[in-house]
Amino acid sequence: MKRVITFGEIMLRLAPEGYLRFVQADRFQATFGGGEANVAVSLANFGYSAAFVSKIPAHEIGQYCVNSMRRYGVDTSQIVRGGERLGVYYCEKGASQRASKVIYDRAASAIALAKREDFDWESILDGADWFHFTGITPALGGELPEICLDALKVCKAKNIFVSCDLNYRKKLWTREEAGKAMATLMPYVNLCIANEEDAGDVFGIHAENTELTKGKINTDGYKEVAQKLKDRFGFEKVAITLRRSFSANDNDWGAMLYDSEGFHFSKTYSVHIVDRVGGGDSFGAGLIYALLDGQSGADAIEFAVAASCLKHSIEGDFNCVSAAEVKALAQGDGSGRVQR
Amino acid sequence: MKRVITFGEIMLRLAPEGYLRFVQADRFQATFGGGEANVAVSLANFGYSAAFVSKIPAHEIGQYCVNSMRRYGVDTSQIVRGGERLGVYYCEKGASQRASKVIYDRAASAIALAKREDFDWESILDGADWFHFTGITPALGGELPEICLDALKVCKAKNIFVSCDLNYRKKLWTREEAGKAMATLMPYVNLCIANEEDAGDVFGIHAENTELTKGKINTDGYKEVAQKLKDRFGFEKVAITLRRSFSANDNDWGAMLYDSEGFHFSKTYSVHIVDRVGGGDSFGAGLIYALLDGQSGADAIEFAVAASCLKHSIEGDFNCVSAAEVKALAQGDGSGRVQR
Amino acid sequence: MKRVITFGEIMLRLAPEGYLRFVQADRFQATFGGGEANVAVSLANFGYSAAFVSKIPAHEIGQYCVNSMRRYGVDTSQIVRGGERLGVYYCEKGASQRASKVIYDRAASAIALAKREDFDWESILDGADWFHFTGITPALGGELPEICLDALKVCKAKNIFVSCDLNYRKKLWTREEAGKAMATLMPYVNLCIANEEDAGDVFGIHAENTELTKGKINTDGYKEVAQKLKDRFGFEKVAITLRRSFSANDNDWGAMLYDSEGFHFSKTYSVHIVDRVGGGDSFGAGLIYALLDGQSGADAIEFAVAASCLKHSIEGDFNCVSAAEVKALAQGDGSGRVQR
Amino acid sequence: MKRVITFGEIMLRLAPEGYLRFVQADRFQATFGGGEANVAVSLANFGYSAAFVSKIPAHEIGQYCVNSMRRYGVDTSQIVRGGERLGVYYCEKGASQRASKVIYDRAASAIALAKREDFDWESILDGADWFHFTGITPALGGELPEICLDALKVCKAKNIFVSCDLNYRKKLWTREEAGKAMATLMPYVNLCIANEEDAGDVFGIHAENTELTKGKINTDGYKEVAQKLKDRFGFEKVAITLRRSFSANDNDWGAMLYDSEGFHFSKTYSVHIVDRVGGGDSFGAGLIYALLDGQSGADAIEFAVAASCLKHSIEGDFNCVSAAEVKALAQGDGSGRVQR
Amino acid sequence: MKRVITFGEIMLRLAPEGYLRFVQADRFQATFGGGEANVAVSLANFGYSAAFVSKIPAHEIGQYCVNSMRRYGVDTSQIVRGGERLGVYYCEKGASQRASKVIYDRAASAIALAKREDFDWESILDGADWFHFTGITPALGGELPEICLDALKVCKAKNIFVSCDLNYRKKLWTREEAGKAMATLMPYVNLCIANEEDAGDVFGIHAENTELTKGKINTDGYKEVAQKLKDRFGFEKVAITLRRSFSANDNDWGAMLYDSEGFHFSKTYSVHIVDRVGGGDSFGAGLIYALLDGQSGADAIEFAVAASCLKHSIEGDFNCVSAAEVKALAQGDGSGRVQR
Amino acid sequence: MKRVITFGEIMLRLAPEGYLRFVQADRFQATFGGGEANVAVSLANFGYSAAFVSKIPAHEIGQYCVNSMRRYGVDTSQIVRGGERLGVYYCEKGASQRASKVIYDRAASAIALAKREDFDWESILDGADWFHFTGITPALGGELPEICLDALKVCKAKNIFVSCDLNYRKKLWTREEAGKAMATLMPYVNLCIANEEDAGDVFGIHAENTELTKGKINTDGYKEVAQKLKDRFGFEKVAITLRRSFSANDNDWGAMLYDSEGFHFSKTYSVHIVDRVGGGDSFGAGLIYALLDGQSGADAIEFAVAASCLKHSIEGDFNCVSAAEVKALAQGDGSGRVQR
């Protein structure tokens, strides 16, 4: 069984029911999420051995969080238990012209205050086939950029394939900070994943003439961005997700993979959104699964996009779909007919 | 008041809330449903005297089930109380490209193990104008094909109009078993109801070139299927529902009735789905209501399609609409403006 | 800070969860709403000083109602506490071709039985910049037409700007009654707000050839109606909302403002409806905010329509959006991208 | 099967969840209740034919109400459909030293405005063994005292046994009004049911030295009250319920029946309260069941008290217990051991 | 880390909310439970390595069940996936004099139809310190008595300590069947656990003069039963739980352990019940934990009773408490003061 | 109208439903609470003008918090809006021997990081009759001890009566830190409120021989503590609450007030707990209300204890009772009979 290790933060996600706004709520759906945790859960649901690495308080809320991943089969044995607080994020679901809103309360979380000595990467990465992290992890600050580097060096030594989703968060660091820190880590990365804006935000690499808010996709522009990323950092593969947002309910969703065989564009799905948070993470997980599974670049990007298409129909950060369900969609049945 | 008797199974329906997947649930909406029970509830809601016949355990869960129909005015006095278990079905609502999923747990239910002597059809059918069953009832096995035949013979003797919805369920029996058993019952049936696939699954009768999953409708093909059904079994009327599935949220929905005056195609509705389970049953109920009400074939098919169009907007198996509401839609107001 | 006074009825709103029909419910969402209360809440959410004037029983259900407005910052100190009952309305959410349904139980409410001496308008209106009421208030009968007139006369004396939303409710009075009563009040009104049908229902003023149920908009017709309203009553400004209803889920929504500078048509939004009750009220509130804020007619109508566009995405009667959110939409970002 | 007719009002009952106060609520449990409806439901649950007679609006909320009784098997065919409103009552559950609170909003309900010609008692009472009403019904005013009298005269003519629960409600009428109106009806009553205070409130008949709020029971006092009631109105039987209230959670509960064989005191139950509303009605239903069933006075009072003891453990007005469950408790098993 | 293997059935548990009766429900809390699964979850919560062995369908409901245990850290890797159905049990919570009610729908479940070849006990029991099962497992019939014997023989060979909770279920088999089957298995059992009635039901061993329903405890009688059990089957240890049931809300709870050092009676707790289903299982788990932990008999019985005392305060079958919480109670703090 | 200002922290309170443990939750009840906010809400519910002073983020979660107090009529106009985070506390309700558990996540909240210049006490305290804070406020650290001192000096200058609830929280500071900081503030305090342990924890003042966990109350000991507190700091009045905890469900509750007229012991209530968090705060609010209202010491302590007795029956931190309800209980009606 393939084994993937992901490293980052997981937060308690508090969401009002349905389309209620924060100020209307009187209870919150309590789930958990975070870029790398979402990838681990998705891979566990696909049937891989997936371990999530983080630092989580030893108290009951921390335990509740650990249980939320264990439930889906994630290996939580490498999580360091300690520290005071678990980060929280508040998530309000948008509709029509009203956008979803996310408020983070993650400062001073256990993972953000973690120390290099908390993680014994030689042991953690033992037996791993793949290591995944996102730009959010170093953005948490403290010793995290160095901890990431520690992990990546061990990956290199152990010849573990590394993927990184750039995932720029402007609330966590400036573009300058991100660019500098990420540039240090990129040389260890084999697969770089980005959305339409990340390459520009983090590295100042832009697709020309792409007007994102108007939803027009400039195919050549994306190729150009992928090429520039590869040129600058020597990535083996670059994947870019392409989202056109018509409203909070309706998006088009697709992606491109650039590898040694060239550019592979997936089909585009018109998705009616149940919950789009975690959409990018489910794409990353799908891509990791497919590539580790030995699929071709063309097949892998279809699998990854189908996986993340389905995520948009699922509540919460975690993508609760099986590999078989993803394959069925990737191979063409999106009619939504009842399965009895 | 017109009186309709329906016969079959009713199950406890367990559904996670909203769009949650089974593995995410921690509570289930508990309703009840089954093809023939759904028809009875719909007819009671339209104002007819509707009795549902089945066998249901005497324990409290069975009582809960009986109450669920009594609530809507169904005559439950002909239900045999006994046996050990009430069938269960789990129903997960799909969205966008993710299909709804139904898992049946109906084996060894009280009705599946019922005996011929449990039902005194002479008494049950006394005063009835119409008898309705679906292909699911004989598919439950045991003595049910014979029990159906018992009922149909009494209908013939009493000159009660009989409708049957083919409703092929591949999890219950093979096409061969279905074809053989149903062929025995069809000679007693006056109105045959089918969806796009049933005629092919049960009797090997196909519309040529109809590509269901791509959603293209071949009008001539449907006429051909109806004609062949009528030719083979001598039905007075044949009704076929036409569904085009764009996604789990959006379908087109219409139907055709073939009677002595020819082929009547209804208008087609673009439905935004709340819950499509029971859609076919609500069509059957609408057709029974309209035909018993003395409506013309053209009017009846519009009433039936309007009834089932509305069902798609209603949670649960039961179609909770009045005849007046259906008429209003059939006569043209589908704009959904608030009624104050 | 600008201060607006609104006067009318507020009711307990009882709504089944999600898309459940009344007969399926076993609990009701309990919120509150009423045309003028909705306007006050909306203005308080925009940051204005907004006082709602009404008569509400002194018992705990009345207190619950008062609290529901206080929560959003509405000044409730001018509400008269007394009388026996708080009006109730039952609200069932429609979907697809099934319309939403509202059942009023408002007869003999405390406000409907209020007396002229209950309200000391000199004191209530002290310091106010704007007074708003709708046609529903006089329609409640009893002494309410006179109480409205009392208020309007004080407004005139104090030079307070007055807006009135015609809001014709056929369940409350006939067209004749409405026309007569409203004609008495209109001379005191500066801004008249109406939807497509109100001018015709109340004053017999019609846009020619406008076929509402088919959703075609006759621009010239609306201009004509506005012109006739202005001509007959001498309004400074006339605003008309334009709704095209495709289904209970999907509407187009826009509006027109006619003022001394001419006709200003807003952009049209395609809205995916969460809850459209209170849509017109949120428009009125948006218009009051923008005009009191000193915006041009063209900007004000865009603000008002953007505010009410957002209301369609929000559960309950109250429009829980900030002025900043409305401005962002009015200025062009309706893509619904997640805000982190 | 024994047939009982009850006549009165049924209201929508709106209750916050759990122990929430009204001002904390944001949803209400929606059930239905009313003295005579509660008795009918209880008798239907015991297996009798029980018809409830009232006037209920034809709209969907009225239908929802009718369905709520039909669900438990009550014969609702004698209900007159019409009028404008269904009464509402708000019910907040108390705990510890905080008492439960009930706010009625029942004025001008369909039944309160009903007319004598609405009810054809000859037809309604056809085939009945027993007729039951409470003091609430005439207290609703309008023509209801006369309608009650109409019914009672037909009962007398048909030799139908009549029970009346005095059920004094000070919010509905004064003691003087109650005393006068009830005195007119009492001569037709065979069984009079009262709680500790009713006889005093309605007829000025008091048990000496009974200090209710301190929870001390004066056995001789109750005998005296029953004797005086019997002497004044010639009742065949008088039943008095005895409640000692220690807190909103804990009560002692028992009763006494006075018949031709003397005074029968039941055992006393210490009840831990889930919901005590409807406790008296469940007692009445238990007594009617047992007496119609031919039980002795001593057995009947035990059955009635056991039935109402169980009611205190059940949410809502309706007593959802079977006759078998009541018998088991009356015969001694109150240990609450799990039944598998 | 100590490793315990438990073997048996786990079912979907469907429970109405709060104190609602089945017939009042419209949703069910969906959890899972079964004697041996409950023990495994409890031990995992205490920090042991606990594996549950069973056969569970491969479909999503089966997966949901597996996840429910994985969440608490149970090792589910030894579960055989296959078969058609997962057993269901319906559980209605009692209050006051109304007992809780359990309705089983477990016939023909995957585990009940499991085959001897489904389980490779050599492999499953590898590394185990303890094996636990209850009388329910062989009672499921089919090949289960033999499968149990297979397991026990391997335990003997591997010198694994074996505990068995007699857990007689009259709905599953007769006393005769139970006595015969269990007698075959007992020689392999080291620790026998029973409640007050099991020894009598299964083996005809009775404590003299113990009147269970009246709640009087005959200490000498329990000693006698334990002695007889030990004498007949050669158990190393015998534990008997002692419950006095005052009502569905209030029980006294204690236990006795008989080992080579004599009889150890625990303190008795007065418990206010939240959910008592699984109480016995939590006792078994507590005892296994304490004995494997090397505690003395006197300490172990206190730990076991404290663990199960806490279980009564927890919703669902699973005992979600830590070993530290149990120790704190066993050592004396039952005052329930808030822990901040 | 009397005006009271309270100053401190308010947090989001997240609580699983009913008796669920944290690890079982999948949603949280979202309310707000904090010692001084609770007092303000209680006083507003009693009809006083109550302003709460704090620093709360400007984002939507902060707004939600502000609205939660505004709803009950608290004056929130003096709250400083700014900072990053709102503190959170997780609250799990205990039952029987299982204690309630509170986990704080309040570090680095907006108020904890507030600056002296954030608060203009001259303006804030303008028109106030009373100022209240608790020991939690200075315990938050940063500049809060000085900010408290700033406020107290203005109180002295303005002759505003000051009350302080010692409220020692060992998670926030050590006994030494508390003792030192509080000693600086005490000279400005007129009324000192404490529970059984606070005086010892903060100032090392102990009642001799009081064994708290065993629930025995040493009356003389409390007098002694009050006397010592008064002697050391010159308080005008000292109030001590007396709790005996039998289980998480059942407590005895009373208090003592020591003033210039001597020691006043209240009656003791046996409370069946719905939610005891905020019990002490509701006592403080009751005492402030009664004393400001001019009640005698003996009456005031009865009012305060009755208020907090009722709080134990109410969900959430806020005591939602009216002054009339408290008076009714203080004057003797604790029987919990239904109020219609």
Side-chain angles (χ1 to χ4, degrees), chain A residues 34 68 92 115 154 198-199 214 292 334:
Chain A
S68 79
E92 177 188 278
K115 298 297 171 193
V154 176
D198 287 333
K214 295 206 178 154
L292 256 185

Side-chain angles (χ1 to χ4, degrees), chain B residues 143-186:
Chain B
E143 302 191 2
L144 280 165
E146 290 161 288
I147 297 171
C148 288
L149 193 60
D150 290 345
L152 294 177
K153 286 180 178 170
V154 176
C155 287
K156 186 166 195 120
K158 288 177 178 284
N159 205 24
I160 296 169
F161 199 92
V162 173
S163 56
C164 176
D165 185 335
L166 296 183
N167 244 347
Y168 177 67
R169 289 286 183 274
K170 67 175 185 287
K171 295 253 178 82
L172 290 176
W173 53 3
T174 65
R175 295 180 179 192
E176 291 65 36
E177 291 168 333
K180 189 174 166 194
M182 294 299 277
T184 309
L185 304 173
M186 288 305 101

